[in-house]
């Protein structure tokens, strides 16, 4: 896709009249390095660039630099670009009815310049010399001519250096860098026709070719195997929906790989995401999400982009139709895949056909048949091993603060219903298993001075091609991951060999679990050390999930193990593992008291 402005050059920059400016959904555009990156990349796209490079240092905290080969800014307009509500993209409020560019508020450059040190060099096609402008905390410190290539380079140093209160709210460079990577990846998916390069601390994190092929960009971000396994979506009547969605056997436990673009704009709209997921309704287990990259294009006058300060939400004139068309487009791709499957044999088994039991062996596409698969995906059904919560050595009476519970059944494949001397207990199976796992892991770790002793060495190492956003996390956490039992060995640019895994993780789940743990590392949890964070994450991701059918035997084993825990009533994150209805409460509810 070309730039949303359709390649037309932008007119001159001017300050919007106060009336128009007032109609713009204003908001803070500079919250963190990722928001700066987004604004600068969008400006480069609006300027019609064919090549865009984003460099960052320390996750963007010390430096963010975007270089483009777009139309450049005329020297005479450069200072104006840093004034509030100065834009070349709309002339007055009427133009808000049909915005064809990503930017339109004229707020990004002044807002960024106010809280950082900014240097711009730029040259337009007609000009013999370029221009240069340097601002510190919004004040011009130097302006003049510069010899530079066609296009614009904008460098932002020391974000929030003059506003320590805001600097304090930033996360670690790793977490901030992960978000910058995410923003850049999304824009690369939105514009396959633009060659994007992302570099972090001197190293190339990813690069897209700009050849216009969406599958190519998906391959760069999620791996070649995933890209090949995606299904084409194409719907062109009225509203246009194009892109790629995953076969139901390929899914993730979060929505990070669900990307939707409306007229070239990355949107995170719940109703739109919901429409896509609805097409998968019964094809995915609870808690699993498809991968999708969908470009929705419609007449700009049918979309209101001026509803959200970060421009990440939009409003449609005909909402219902848009959602219905989107769902139809995805459903058609899935139907096509199901029909193919019927003619080519049972190789691709949709999730629904097999009962999701803990004991069932992994069918469908086993992870091992995809040596290059990006680990953030889970292939086939996810099933932690059934033996996992049997705890030799810990007898049920030891340190028990829970009474013995008798299993009555399971509700919604998520809660265990049990009876005890004190009344009725509803136990959240995931939270309970997470608590059991954490206790188990902590005990094992304490017994082996900080290392998990139960490690499965892999005879044949698994290859892991890591998504760009996870690379830095993996590199940084390698020593600590080793202590948990994940031995990672660098193998090429974005690839690692996984030589061993913790015993609590089944082989078929290894890639998925590890990438879920790396995903978690990008979140900062206050009050938790790195080691604790990793251990909690391993406990969580190796625990049984909501939506899994459990046998009586499994439920009994889980409750037995929970009874032996030191804090059976709360999971590692402090959420309750159970709800208790006492005999007295039951009697009150039924009017017996
Ligand atoms: P907006 O994008 O909403 O117009 P900005 O503050 O982001 O506001 O940018 C102000 C103006 O500066 C833009 O309208 C555009 O004319 C110019 N500009 C900013 N970045 C670039 C760039 N990379 N290439 C060309 N022009 C740019
Ligand atoms: Mg802009």
């Amino acid at each position: 896709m070309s730039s949303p402005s359709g390649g037309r050059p932008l007119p001159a920059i001017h300050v919007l009249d106060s009336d128009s400016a007032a109609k713009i959904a204003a908001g803070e555009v500079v919250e963190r390095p990722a928001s700066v990156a987004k604004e600068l990349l969008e400006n480069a796209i609006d300027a019609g660039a064919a090549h865009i490079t984003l460099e960052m240092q320390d996750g963007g905290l010390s430096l963010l630099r975007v270089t483009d080969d777009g139309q450049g800014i005329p020297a005479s307009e450069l200072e104006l670009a840093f004034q509030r509500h100065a834009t070349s993209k709309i002339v007055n409020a009427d133009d808000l009815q049909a915005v064809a560019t990503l930017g339109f508020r004229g707020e990004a450059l002044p807002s960024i310049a106010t809280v950082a040190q900014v240097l711009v060099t730029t040259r337009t096609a007609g000009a013999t010399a370029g221009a240069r402008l340097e601002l510190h905390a919004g004040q011009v410190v130097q302006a003049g001519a510069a010899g530079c290539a066609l296009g614009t380079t904008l460098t932002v140093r020391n974000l929030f250096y003059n506003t320590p209160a805001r600097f304090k709210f930033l996360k670690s460079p790793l977490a901030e860098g992960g978000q910058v990577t995410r923003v850049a990846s999304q824009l690369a998916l939105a514009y396959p026709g633009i060659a994007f390069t992302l570099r972090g601390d001197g190293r190339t994190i990813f690069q897209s070719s700009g050849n216009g092929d969406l599958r190519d960009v998906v391959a760069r971000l999620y791996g070649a195997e995933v890209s090949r396994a995606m299904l084409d979506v194409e719907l062109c009547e009225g509203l246009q929906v194009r892109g790629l969605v995953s076969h139901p056997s390929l899914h993730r436990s979060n929505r990070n790989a669900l990307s939707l673009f409306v007229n070239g704009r990355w949107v995170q709209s719940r109703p739109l995401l919901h429409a896509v997921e609805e097409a998968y309704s019964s094809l995915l287990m609870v808690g699993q999400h498809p991968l999708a990259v969908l470009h929705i294009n419609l007449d700009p006058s049918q979309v209101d982009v001026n509803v959200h300060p970060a421009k990440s939400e939009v409003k449609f004139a005909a909402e219902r139709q848009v959602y219905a068309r989107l769902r139809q487009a995805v459903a058609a791709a899935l139907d096509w895949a199901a029909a193919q499957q019927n003619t080519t044999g049972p190789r691709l088994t949709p999730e629904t056909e097999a009962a999701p039991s803990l004991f069932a062996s992994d069918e469908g596409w086993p992870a091992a048949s995809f040596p290059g698969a990006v680990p953030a995906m889970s292939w086939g059904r996810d099933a932690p091993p059934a033996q996992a919560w049997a705890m030799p050595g810990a007898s049920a009476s030891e340190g028990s603060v829970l009474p013995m519970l008798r299993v009555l059944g399971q509700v919604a494949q998520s809660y265990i219903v049990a009876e005890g001397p004190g009344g009725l207990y509803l136990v959240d199976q995931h939270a309970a298993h997470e608590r059991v796992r954490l206790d188990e892991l902590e005990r094992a770790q304490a017994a082996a001075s900080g290392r998990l002793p139960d490690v499965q060495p892999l005879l044949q190492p698994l290859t892991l091609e890591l998504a760009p956003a996870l690379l830095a996390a993996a590199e940084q956490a390698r020593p600590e991951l080793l202590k948990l039992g994940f031995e990672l060995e660098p193998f090429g640019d974005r690839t690692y060999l996984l030589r061993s895994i913790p015993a609590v993780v089944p082989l078929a789940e290894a890639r998925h679990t590890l990438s879920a743990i790396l995903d978690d590392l990008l979140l900062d949890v206050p009050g938790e050390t790195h080691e604790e964070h990793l251990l909690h994450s391993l406990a969580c991701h190796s625990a049984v999930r909501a939506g899994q059918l459990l046998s009586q035997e499994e439920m009994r084993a889980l409750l037995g193990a929970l009874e032996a825990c030191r804090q059976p009533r709360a999971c590692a994150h402090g959420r309750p593992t159970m709800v208790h209805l006492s005999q007295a409460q039951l009697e009150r509810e039924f009017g017996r008291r």
Side-chain angles (χ1 to χ4, degrees):
M1 195 180 160
S2 65
S3 93
S5 58
R8 269 174 282 118
L10 300 169
I13 302 178
H14 56 96
V15 176
L16 291 172
D17 62 80
S18 55
D19 208 36
S20 307
K23 292 204 169 78
I24 284 178
E28 191 45 69
V29 292
V30 196
E31 209 185 334
R32 47 181 8 103
S35 38
V36 175
K38 177 168 184 280
E39 295 295 336
L40 298 184
L41 291 171
E42 288 188 350
N43 279 346
I45 295 167
D46 282 344
H51 298 85
I52 302 177
T53 300
L54 170 62
E55 293 166 71
M56 60 174 159
Q57 275 165 24
D58 304 316
L61 299 179
S62 50
L63 178 137
L64 273 172
R65 175 182 292 136
V66 171
T67 304
D68 70 56
D69 58 358
Q71 68 177 53
I73 306 173
S76 58
E77 297 174 19
L78 191 51
E79 283 197 41
L80 191 54
F82 285 87
Q83 280 186 30
R84 270 232 124 69
H85 303 303
T87 182
S88 57
K89 300 174 191 176
I90 61 170
V91 175
N92 55 45
D94 290 344
D95 294 342
L96 286 171
Q97 304 301 316
V99 175
T101 47
L102 293 171
F104 54 85
R105 297 191 174 131
E107 283 195 314
L109 295 188
S111 312
I112 294 166
T114 312
V115 291
Q117 298 166 336
V118 170
L119 171 66
V120 202
T121 56
T122 183
R123 185 165 73 81
T124 56
T128 42
R132 172 195 152 96
L133 181 67
E134 195 173 348
L135 302 99
H136 290 179
Q139 300 304 311
V140 174
V141 295
Q142 221 190 23
C148 59
L150 187 70
T152 304
T153 298
L154 206 148
T155 309
V156 178
R157 286 181 205 275
N158 305 323
L159 185 63
F160 298 146
Y161 79 105
N162 55 341
T163 51
R166 291 168 77 183
F167 186 84
K168 223 173 49 194
F169 280 101
L170 295 178
K171 296 178 175 174
S172 64
L174 187 67
E176 295 296 346
Q179 295 205 29
V180 172
T181 304
R182 187 159 152 71
V183 162
S185 315
Q186 296 305 319
L187 286 167
L189 288 169
Y191 296 93
I194 299 178
F196 285 90
T197 303
L198 174 64
R199 298 170 59 77
D201 300 315
R203 171 173 168 177
T204 300
I205 299 174
F206 80 79
Q207 199 156 26
S208 67
S209 69
N211 69 359
D213 185 351
L214 183 58
R215 267 185 206 273
D216 239 46
V217 189
V218 169
R220 299 296 177 106
L221 291 173
Y222 301 141
E225 298 294 343
V226 169
S227 171
R228 267 197 290 277
M230 299 285 276
L231 309 169
D232 283 302
V233 173
E234 175 127 34
L235 184 106
C236 304
E237 301 140 40
L239 165 83
Q240 189 191 59
V241 182
R242 275 163 186 260
L244 301 167
V245 294
S246 55
H247 186 275
S249 56
L250 172 60
H251 45 77
R252 274 186 162 188
S253 53
N254 57 41
R255 294 193 176 88
N256 287 351
L258 243 172
S259 308
L260 303 180
F261 306 97
V262 174
N263 288 355
R265 197 180 292 280
W266 178 32
V267 294
Q268 287 152 297
S269 137
R270 274 174 181 274
L272 284 183
L273 291 170
H274 187 69
V276 173
E277 298 209 81
E278 241 177 40
Y280 284 82
S281 58
S282 61
L283 297 174
L284 294 181
M285 260 169 63
V286 179
Q288 295 300 331
H289 306 280
L291 292 79
V293 184
L294 292 170
H295 293 179
I296 302 156
N297 292 311
L298 67 172
D299 187 331
S301 66
Q302 297 298 301
V303 199
D304 185 357
V305 295
N306 187 28
V307 292
H308 188 263
K311 297 173 286 178
S312 62
E313 277 171 31
V314 293
K315 244 185 153 145
F316 299 102
E319 301 209 352
R320 293 273 200 78
Q321 274 114 301
V322 172
Y323 304 145
R325 299 296 278 162
L326 181 59
R327 191 183 55 235
Q328 272 169 24
V330 176
L334 293 171
D335 286 348
W336 179 86
Q340 285 300 99
Q341 198 172 312
N342 287 338
T343 55
T344 57
R347 181 91 181 89
L348 316 175
T349 314
E351 306 289 67
T352 41
E353 281 176 25
S357 151
L358 283 183
F359 290 110
S361 67
D362 242 12
E363 292 159 0
W365 292 357
S369 71
F370 285 87
V374 170
M377 317 297 163
S378 54
W379 296 88
R381 226 173 22 260
D382 311 291
Q387 88 291 344
W389 52 57
M391 292 198 313
S395 89
S397 58
E398 181 186 284
S400 175
V401 277
L402 258 197
M404 292 286 282
L405 300 177
R406 184 169 73 89
V407 173
L408 299 176
Q410 193 186 18
V411 179
Q413 301 191 359
S414 301
Y415 308 101
I416 300 170
V417 190
E419 184 194 26
L424 181 74
Y425 292 79
L426 277 171
V427 179
D428 179 321
Q429 65 193 40
H430 173 74
H433 195 204
E434 189 180 309
R435 162 53 66 195
V436 167
R437 268 286 153 73
L438 188 64
D439 262 39
E440 204 175 72
L441 292 171
E442 279 174 351
R443 211 166 335 174
Q445 215 178 35
S449 49
R451 267 184 104 100
L452 279 187
D454 285 335
V455 172
Q456 320 172 43
L458 303 180
L459 286 178
Q460 281 207 325
L462 291 174
T463 25
L464 289 180
E465 193 183 335
L466 285 184
L470 299 183
L471 270 179
E475 200 41 52
Q476 197 172 319
R478 257 173 65 205
E480 281 135 5
L481 287 168
L482 182 62
K483 285 190 190 164
L484 291 185
F486 289 109
E487 185 182 348
L488 279 174
E489 182 186 310
F491 184 76
D493 224 16
R494 281 174 43 191
T495 312
Y496 283 89
L497 293 181
L498 186 55
R499 295 204 169 272
S500 72
I501 58 179
V504 291
V505 176
L507 182 60
E509 287 275 298
R511 287 194 172 94
H512 170 64
T513 308
L514 181 56
S515 63
I517 290 173
L518 292 176
D519 256 344
D520 279 357
L521 270 182
L522 299 182
L523 310 166
D524 274 347
V525 179
E528 246 183 19
T529 67
H530 222 62
E531 280 90 354
E532 283 166 349
H533 190 58
L534 280 170
L535 205 65
H536 286 179
S537 183
L538 177 60
C540 173
H541 294 295
S542 61
V544 60
R545 283 181 261 275
Q548 277 183 274
L549 192 67
L550 302 182
S551 70
Q552 287 282 328
E553 194 41 55
E554 288 168 323
M555 290 189 276
R556 264 199 297 278
L558 176 53
L559 291 188
L562 187 64
E563 283 157 19
C565 289
R566 269 169 298 139
Q567 294 171 0
R569 290 172 195 269
C571 80
H573 301 100
R575 282 191 305 273
T577 55
M578 63 181 66
V579 172
H580 175 206
L581 272 176
S582 70
Q583 192 78 31
Q585 267 170 303
L586 286 172
E587 282 170 6
R588 260 200 308 279
E589 290 293 333
F590 287 106
R592 290 177 175 275
R593 278 193 177 199

